[in-house]
Amino acid sequence: MTPDTPMPDITVDGTGLLCVTLLLRLRKEIDGAPPGTVIHVIATDPAAPLDLPAWCHITGHHYLGPVTDSEQSVYALQLAADVLSTRGGWDGTATIAKGEAHPQREEPGGQDGS
């Protein structure tokens, strides 16, 4: 463990899982964990270094990066407060913890990219 990487409160073993299944397991394992909880995710999916930071960006959790002193591919993240839920609402839209519909995010510069 490097000084920059906090010790995990929860370790999620995603060995052999592809991204979607890994994220479903991650969501299940962190359910009910308080903000500030440090998670280490063991992942063998080659897309994990892209998918985990993207998931954190979408939900609002903090991606801390790879755990460099591990023999396995391990990634650290920290749970945040007031994050977006990844559970869909009855109409398939993402929901915020308070049950409000997720607002559409606009790209910088508008729809034409300017």
Side-chain angles (χ1 to χ4, degrees):
M1 194 72 36
T2 63
D4 296 337
T5 306
M7 293 294 294
D9 299 305
I10 298 172
T11 299
V12 177
D13 187 355
T15 303
L17 300 179
L18 296 178
C19 178
V20 173
T21 310
L22 173 63
L23 294 177
L24 289 171
R25 178 169 293 171
L26 174 60
R27 181 179 74 183
K28 179 182 176 183
E29 295 289 329
I30 66 172
D31 191 35
T37 300
V38 175
I39 313 295
H40 281 191
V41 180
I42 302 168
T44 54
D45 182 352
L50 301 173
D51 293 337
L52 289 170
W55 182 81
C56 287
H57 176 75
I58 289 168
T59 61
H61 294 299
H62 305 288
Y63 180 71
L64 303 178
V67 178
T68 57
D69 61 341
S70 175
E71 293 180 14
Q72 299 172 302
S73 295
V74 179
Y75 306 91
L77 53 107
Q78 187 171 35
L79 302 184
D82 299 325
V83 297
L84 296 179
S85 171
T86 57
R87 298 182 191 279
W90 67 270
D91 61 354
T93 60
T95 56
I96 298 175
K98 295 179 184 175
E100 302 165 357
H102 179 279
Q104 294 295 326
R105 296 181 187 219
E106 293 185 26
E107 293 298 318
Q111 291 182 357
D112 64 355
S114 59

